[in-house]
Amino acid sequence: MVQSYLKHGPTQAFGLVCSSSSNSIFDGKFAYVPALEDVLVWDVKKGKMLAMWHETGHRAEVTCIQRSPQSNIFAVGYADGSIRLWNAPSESVITAFNGHKKAVTALAFDERGIRLASGSQDTDLIVWDVVGETGLYRLRGHRDQITNIRFLPSSNDLPSTSTSTAPGYLLTSGKDTFVKFWDLSTQHCVQTIVAHRSEVWSLDINQEEDLFFTGSGEGEVKAWRIDAEALSAGLKETETGEVAKFIHPVASLPLASRHRVSQIYFHPTQPYVAVQSHDRSVEVFRIRSEEEVRKKQVRRKKRAQEKKKQGKAIEKTDDDDSEITLVDMFTPHLVVRASGKIRSFDYGVDDKALKPGNQRIQLFVALNTNALEVYNVPPPTRSKEEPLEATRIFSVDLPGHRTDVRSLCLSSDDQILASASNGSLKIWNMKTTSCIRTMDCGYAVCSTFLPGDKHVAVGTKSGEILIYDIASSTLIETIKAHTATVWSIHVRPDEQGLVSGSADKDIKFWDFEFKDATGDSVGDQMGSIQSGKITSLVHIRTLKMTDEVLSVRYSPNGKLLAVALLDSTVKVFYQDSLKFFLSLYGHKLPVLAMDISHDSKLIVTCSADKNVKIWGLDFGDCHKSIFAHEASVMQVAFEKGSHYFWTVGKDKMLKYWDGDKFEGIQKLDGHHGEIWALTVSHHGNFVVTGSQDKSIRVYEKLDEPLFLEEERERELEQLYETGIADAMNRADVPIASGAEDGLGPQTNQAEVTGVSKQTTETLMAGERIMEALDLADTERSVFREYEEAMAKLPEDDPMRLQPPPRNPILAAYDLEPEAYVLRVVEKVQSAALHDALLVLPFGKVVLLMYYLTAWAQKGWNIPLVSRIIFFLLKVHHHQIVANRIMRATLIPLRKHLRAALQQQKEMMGYNLAALQYMKRRNESERTAQFYEEEDWDEEKVRARVAEGKKRKRVTLKA
């Protein structure tokens, strides 16, 4: 009988406020922030999470978020090069775009939200049609990662010479020090500027769209002017024979710091621009109007003249008609200082409540330390005595740790989880995954619940053991246990004491002491909040070792104590007499953690040498050594009541093993950082992991059985499929920073190409189309044979047979073969259709042509038919031209498609005319209503005119 196990699956991820992988968006009320592979929506005022945008099975990290002008739609870019359009109210994916080979680093919508431009680490720039859900074209030219994209609309009064429906311009910046200006009507780069000496990290255009700023890795901000006249004239030669430039340098903007300028952002409505160049602060500049600058110049001149009269020596000043410089226009307003390292910032643009004159703005800051903050930026004041300061009005930081989660432990009933990191200890409710307590602690390394589940003991890097009371969320005792890091603590099986192992080479044994909460020194401050007993530790004995102690474990039967040392050995002692019993020798690097099975027969050790070893506790023999992870194995734990155990490592993987058969049962991914901590449920129902990415994840046991053969097959299939997709997408040139010689793509590549990328989904879609074509073709040939046989026989011939049975799939859907193929093709995502059609061999293309003719004849989904036929003709042009048989298929297809398109055209024309008529009628009715209000006579009209309030006289010229 093949042994089956029960599958484990990820159920919850919590402890994240926002991850540092991407920028964040704020609309004045809600913050849309990345949380590794998900996007979270926070109500910043209430500090409450409203939604989680999660797509099942998708593991790639979010790298970029952009909001569409159609306010409910968001574009989210991921580390695997895919882009998903999310609908915010329904929390669902509208469509997915796949075109980039590496992480998406920049996204931008045009002014109407119809087109989306995306830039990536693979140096490509792709323009997507959001409505048609297709990639329009891929633009190549940058030699390194694209960092920013901005759309520039073309002037509307131009007669457009292009066939493109919505031309315009794109500004892009990259780590290759270039800023490129692309003309979308010709789909080419019309100007390249070497903007800075180092990477261009940030770029933004002002509201008037005539000026833009770029920020570099050296902390330099430059301003550039966009020449609107040159744009309207198009590409023309000047007198000297050079091509007219569209972008001209203006000046540099002085900054307070010389760090990398990671973000520049103009306020959409108010005269402010903010620059983030320092790790923890954002500089806000106020944009002065020309009038203000002139006034200031006049004042300056006046003061200078007064000083002259008094006979003071003064510096030479410019005349008041001197040109206004950039530095005069942009004056430093204030600096917003955050409580941690800033990942990105945004404005709270939803300032409807503010009056136009009030220049108060909100600045939202997403931090690298898993927190969000909102600051109020006050408007400028007349008085110079008080320096302006930004005030923090909201912050969201309690639902997560500021640093890596280093230790986890569960209460005995699995209801409460304690997680510890450098700086805080948090208590979580496992049912609701909400944080119910937060307590300050030092640098926590290990932790455990004490018997009774009312207290948590935490071992710190400074050698202390801290005891916290959960009910009152207070630190009730600090015990200076060791002189160096407490690496491990474990409660004795009889629940009367615990053992601690430390880097000071000591193992100390402690007994629990229960003091009353009133009569002692702590009682005065604790009496009001602490009820019952206070747990304290009493040191009873010490065992000195030859090396640093990394882990200590009691055997569940209470007889033995295992100690892992820095010299890579594990020593086992008798618990009562502390006599030496066994030495487990075999690891090449120190053992970081270990666990003993419930029957005290097996001990499993995990080490920094990436191996897990299973030993017998009777004789200390090594049963098996398993190469378990690709990096150090950090924690190991037996599942309760079995010889199955879990391991976690720095390779971001959680693995499930059978300790009797020495086989891997299941691999579980999910974390995006090194996994430090692991704890297993006391009832064997689930396992919890904590990681460097600051998230805590729960993997629950499902009712679904798991067979090892099937699991191995599935893993191999996955490898094979990704291998095929990667081989089909292989570029002949190394990419940018990833290239061995550090150079970007060669210049002999075409600047503009089509958008295609094979993924496992498109391969599967192509296979489904092929299966549908085969099935329909078989069905058609069976019925054709039957009809031919019946046609030869007379009507009353006894040999006439019943028609053959229909294919069960077609019978179930009650569809004709042609309708079934259309159904399968329609189910393929619009964005992936071209890639799916590329999978079809030429024989299947010829077959598909027949169905296209049938669909065109019946007038089914003509836009889809047109799209498929044009794509196939473009891709297989040479074979189709060389193949005479295709003529018989193409001529009827042309005839039917033309007729169907003509019909569609007429229908659209009719509908457009009707809509225009309704619009004109509506306008005329509204105008008539405005002029012909009820019971108005001539006197009333004259009186209204005499008042002269609402009427405004305008002289009209012929």
Side-chain angles (χ1 to χ4, degrees):
M1 189 58 189
V2 180
Q3 184 172 1
S4 74
Y5 304 87
L6 284 177
K7 218 176 221 174
H8 284 73
T11 51
Q12 276 156 329
F14 55 95
L16 268 174
V17 177
C18 76
S19 60
S20 58
S21 59
S22 155
N23 64 311
S24 303
I25 303 279
F26 183 56
D27 65 3
K29 191 175 183 188
F30 303 133
Y32 303 87
V33 300
L36 304 175
E37 72 269 23
D38 303 329
V39 175
L40 302 182
V41 183
W42 289 95
D43 184 329
V44 182
K45 197 173 183 180
K46 295 177 183 169
K48 189 174 155 193
M49 189 174 90
L50 302 174
M52 178 190 273
W53 300 351
H54 174 77
E55 189 171 13
T56 315
H58 190 246
R59 288 258 177 266
E61 223 171 350
V62 173
T63 54
C64 193
I65 305 174
Q66 186 65 39
R67 187 175 195 151
S68 166
Q70 300 164 3
S71 59
N72 285 334
I73 295 172
F74 288 80
V76 180
Y78 294 87
D80 60 355
S82 65
I83 301 162
R84 280 165 178 70
L85 289 182
W86 287 86
N87 184 336
S90 65
E91 298 170 29
S92 60
V93 177
I94 301 167
T95 184
F97 294 135
N98 251 312
H100 291 290
K101 297 184 184 70
K102 287 191 170 186
V104 178
T105 52
L107 290 168
F109 281 97
D110 68 356
E111 69 275 14
R112 288 191 295 166
I114 293 169
R115 288 171 302 169
L116 171 70
S118 63
S120 160
Q121 280 180 357
D122 64 8
T123 75
D124 288 354
L125 174 70
I126 299 179
V127 180
W128 305 90
D129 178 354
V130 173
V131 181
E133 298 183 3
T134 54
L136 296 174
Y137 40 85
R138 184 192 300 266
L139 298 169
R140 292 199 174 110
H142 277 285
R143 304 231 176 137
D144 206 334
Q145 172 184 325
I146 294 172
T147 52
N148 280 278
I149 303 171
R150 291 290 182 272
F151 267 96
L152 257 180
S154 56
S155 50
N156 298 325
D157 54 347
L158 274 180
S160 175
T161 50
S162 78
T163 53
S164 168
T165 50
Y169 300 98
L170 270 182
L171 260 177
T172 59
S173 64
K175 282 170 74 175
D176 52 5
T177 74
F178 297 154
V179 170
K180 282 183 172 281
F181 192 60
W182 307 83
D183 184 346
L184 297 185
S185 54
T186 59
Q187 297 170 14
H188 280 284
C189 177
V190 289
Q191 191 177 348
T192 299
I193 312 155
V194 183
H196 294 269
R197 285 193 300 274
S198 62
E199 299 106 331
V200 183
W201 280 102
S202 50
L203 174 147
D204 199 20
I205 302 176
N206 68 350
Q207 294 168 35
E208 291 77 31
E209 294 179 339
D210 59 355
L211 190 77
F212 70 90
F213 281 6
T214 55
S216 76
E218 293 177 342
E220 190 179 23
V221 172
K222 283 186 181 175
W224 308 82
R225 184 170 55 80
I226 299 166
D227 193 339
E229 286 176 18
L231 278 183
S232 58
L235 279 172
K236 285 190 178 173
E237 284 189 4
T238 55
E239 293 85 23
T240 54
E242 290 180 358
V243 177
K245 296 268 191 290
F246 300 121
I247 293 167
H248 307 282
V250 180
S252 291
L253 194 70
L255 290 182
S257 67
R258 303 294 293 168
H259 293 76
R260 182 178 103 189
V261 181
S262 48
Q263 200 179 344
I264 295 175
Y265 196 13
F266 280 90
H267 196 286
T269 55
Q270 307 280 13
Y272 289 104
V273 60
V275 178
Q276 185 212 329
S277 64
H278 192 267
D279 283 349
R280 285 169 171 262
S281 62
V282 175
E283 272 185 81
V284 181
F285 290 84
R286 191 163 64 84
I287 307 168
R288 288 193 177 127
S289 63
E290 206 169 316
E291 200 181 329
E292 282 181 87
V293 178
R294 293 266 181 236
K295 275 183 188 171
K296 191 163 186 189
Q297 283 181 344
V298 169
R299 277 205 307 274
R300 202 181 292 156
K301 199 175 177 194
K302 218 177 192 178
R303 276 205 302 272
Q305 283 171 348
E306 281 171 12
K307 283 183 181 176
K308 216 175 194 178
K309 281 177 189 172
Q310 292 165 9
K312 290 180 184 171
I314 55 157
E315 293 172 22
K316 189 174 180 284
T317 57
D318 301 333
D319 301 330
D320 62 349
D321 59 345
S322 64
E323 279 191 16
I324 294 170
T325 61
L326 186 86
V327 181
D328 290 334
M329 295 281 286
F330 293 86
T331 172
H333 183 51
L334 56 77
V335 177
V336 177
R337 288 186 173 80
S339 60
K341 205 171 178 183
I342 298 171
R343 171 58 180 86
S344 75
F345 70 86
D346 197 2
Y347 299 109
V349 182
D350 191 22
D351 296 330
K352 289 168 190 165
L354 300 177
K355 298 182 184 95
N358 187 1
Q359 292 185 352
R360 186 182 297 259
I361 59 167
Q362 283 184 0
L363 197 75
F364 164 84
V365 177
L367 305 178
N368 272 352
T369 56
N370 196 22
L372 310 172
E373 293 178 341
V374 179
Y375 288 86
N376 211 346
V377 178
T381 55
R382 297 269 170 170
S383 64
K384 292 190 176 179
E385 288 78 48
E386 296 176 26
L388 288 173
E389 271 195 19
T391 49
R392 187 169 76 186
I393 47 174
F394 307 121
S395 74
V396 182
D397 56 0
L398 285 179
H401 285 281
R402 301 286 74 73
T403 49
D404 306 0
V405 179
R406 286 303 301 260
S407 173
L408 294 169
C409 56
L410 277 163
S411 62
S412 56
D413 57 0
D414 291 341
Q415 297 289 314
I416 295 173
L417 173 79
S419 64
S421 69
N422 177 8
S424 63
L425 168 73
K426 287 183 182 285
I427 310 293
W428 307 83
N429 180 338
M430 282 303 289
K431 266 207 178 84
T432 61
T433 66
S434 57
C435 178
I436 48 178
R437 295 274 189 280
T438 299
M439 295 163 263
D440 291 337
C441 68
Y443 196 134
V445 178
C446 56
S447 62
T448 180
F449 269 91
L450 300 185
D453 294 334
K454 288 190 172 70
H455 303 91
V456 176
V458 175
T460 67
K461 212 164 187 175
S462 55
E464 294 166 337
I465 295 178
L466 312 172
I467 296 177
Y468 291 89
D469 178 68
I470 295 172
S472 61
S473 62
T474 46
L475 171 65
I476 52 174
E477 190 155 14
T478 303
I479 298 148
K480 191 79 187 89
H482 295 269
T483 55
T485 310
V486 180
W487 283 118
S488 178
I489 50 179
H490 194 217
V491 176
R492 215 161 59 214
D494 61 4
E495 298 191 343
Q496 297 303 308
L498 61 78
V499 63
S500 62
S502 163
D504 64 2
K505 305 182 185 177
D506 285 358
I507 298 167
K508 291 192 176 178
F509 298 85
W510 311 81
D511 271 357
F512 294 134
E513 184 184 38
F514 300 101
K515 304 179 196 167
D516 283 330
T518 45
D520 62 332
S521 58
V522 194
D524 304 331
Q525 69 210 34
M526 302 291 300
S528 57
I529 44 176
Q530 178 81 17
S531 56
K533 310 258 183 199
I534 293 180
T535 306
S536 180
L537 298 181
V538 180
H539 179 218
I540 48 170
R541 54 184 177 169
T542 304
L543 176 64
K544 291 206 174 288
M545 303 303 292
T546 54
D547 217 326
E548 292 184 20
V549 179
L550 296 180
S551 180
V552 286
R553 299 295 290 184
Y554 281 112
S555 63
N557 61 12
K559 288 184 179 172
L560 303 171
L561 173 74
V563 180
L565 301 174
L566 193 65
D567 64 5
S568 310
T569 62
V570 175
K571 305 258 191 292
V572 184
F573 299 88
Y574 288 105
Q575 189 265 127
D576 46 7
S577 61
L578 296 186
K579 278 174 84 175
F580 177 71
F581 172 46
L582 290 171
S583 181
L584 310 179
Y585 177 76
H587 280 290
K588 295 183 181 68
L589 287 168
V591 172
L592 301 176
M594 55 190 177
D595 200 14
I596 300 172
S597 64
H598 68 290
D599 53 10
S600 304
K601 287 186 176 165
L602 292 182
I603 179 169
V604 60
T605 57
C606 66
S607 160
D609 63 11
K610 308 175 191 175
N611 285 291
V612 165
K613 290 185 190 287
I614 302 158
W615 318 75
L617 262 183
D618 301 337
F619 309 106
D621 53 328
C622 180
H623 290 189
K624 186 73 175 173
S625 179
I626 304 169
F627 180 76
H629 287 264
E630 301 292 322
S632 300
V633 190
M634 299 307 294
Q635 288 281 349
V636 62
F638 271 105
E639 197 175 83
K640 294 291 177 286
S642 71
H643 282 177
Y644 305 153
F645 62 90
W646 292 91
T647 59
V648 292
K650 283 191 174 181
D651 60 355
K652 311 173 189 175
M653 296 295 283
L654 164 70
K655 296 190 181 182
Y656 190 32
W657 307 87
D658 185 333
D660 293 326
K661 295 192 169 179
F662 319 125
E663 282 184 307
I665 302 171
Q666 205 178 351
K667 291 179 189 174
L668 292 159
D669 56 359
H671 281 289
H672 295 264
E674 298 168 355
I675 306 179
W676 292 105
L678 164 78
T679 183
V680 178
S681 141
H682 290 87
H683 303 110
N685 302 334
F686 59 87
V687 57
V688 189
T689 55
S691 158
Q692 184 190 22
D693 63 21
K694 305 179 185 65
S695 72
I696 300 167
R697 287 172 191 261
V698 183
Y699 299 86
E700 270 183 35
K701 188 177 275 185
L702 313 171
D703 295 332
E704 200 181 327
L706 176 145
F707 298 96
L708 294 184
E709 307 290 321
E710 285 178 13
E711 193 66 15
R712 295 297 91 81
E713 268 177 36
R714 196 180 57 76
E715 283 169 17
L716 283 170
E717 259 173 41
Q718 233 171 347
L719 269 173
Y720 174 66
E721 281 170 2
T722 49
I724 287 179
D726 291 347
M728 291 180 92
N729 292 322
R730 189 181 63 81
D732 299 327
V733 285
I735 290 169
S737 322
E740 286 169 30
D741 54 359
L743 294 171
Q746 312 305 315
T747 47
N748 56 11
Q749 277 190 309
E751 189 176 37
V752 59
T753 57
V755 181
S756 70
K757 179 191 175 187
Q758 292 292 356
T759 61
T760 44
E761 286 84 24
T762 59
L763 293 174
M764 299 283 282
E767 282 173 13
R768 280 199 297 275
I769 294 173
M770 282 193 269
E771 281 170 16
L773 287 170
D774 287 340
L775 187 148
D777 214 42
T778 312
E779 181 82 350
R780 275 177 48 239
S781 60
V782 166
F783 273 84
R784 194 167 52 244
E785 281 169 19
Y786 165 74
E787 281 160 11
E788 282 169 5
M790 291 301 105
K792 291 172 187 172
L793 298 172
E795 287 283 327
D796 52 351
D797 196 299
M799 292 298 288
R800 286 187 80 86
L801 300 168
Q802 285 284 324
R806 294 178 69 192
N807 183 296
I809 296 174
L810 296 176
Y813 286 123
D814 192 22
L815 291 171
E816 291 301 310
E818 291 86 357
Y820 175 68
V821 176
L822 179 64
R823 183 193 172 105
V824 171
V825 174
E826 280 177 334
K827 277 193 173 174
V828 177
Q829 263 200 330
S830 182
L833 181 62
H834 286 180
D835 293 319
L837 292 172
L838 281 173
V839 176
L840 304 184
F842 187 64
K844 291 283 182 283
V845 171
V846 177
L847 192 56
L848 185 58
M849 291 281 193
Y850 162 79
Y851 290 99
L852 289 170
T853 312
W855 300 340
Q857 192 175 357
K858 292 175 180 174
W860 291 347
N861 204 338
I862 297 301
L864 181 69
V865 173
S866 312
R867 203 177 140 200
I868 293 172
I869 186 66
F870 295 141
F871 180 73
L872 293 178
L873 288 173
K874 195 165 67 179
V875 173
H876 301 284
H877 180 258
H878 295 304
Q879 290 101 314
I880 290 171
V881 171
N883 197 332
R884 273 187 143 176
I885 311 159
M886 293 300 295
R887 189 176 168 80
T889 316
L890 285 173
I891 289 171
L893 175 59
R894 182 177 68 175
K895 182 183 144 201
H896 297 314
L897 192 58
R898 276 191 176 167
L901 285 170
Q902 185 60 37
Q903 197 182 346
Q904 294 256 332
K905 187 180 171 186
E906 285 166 3
M907 192 198 299
M908 285 168 75
Y910 182 82
N911 288 341
L912 268 172
L915 285 167
Q916 280 165 352
Y917 166 71
M918 286 167 72
K919 184 185 173 188
R920 285 198 301 272
R921 191 172 132 190
N922 183 30
E923 279 177 358
S924 66
E925 277 181 4
R926 279 173 58 202
T927 315
Q929 210 174 0
F930 179 74
Y931 286 118
E932 298 168 15
E933 288 192 18
E934 288 173 26
D935 65 3
W936 271 54
D937 54 8
E938 200 176 341
E939 286 175 14
K940 280 190 179 178
V941 175
R942 281 178 188 280
R944 182 72 176 271
V945 173
E947 279 174 23
K949 280 182 185 170
K950 303 284 183 196
R951 304 296 287 266
K952 188 178 175 185
R953 296 199 177 274
V954 181
T955 40
L956 294 173
K957 288 178 185 172

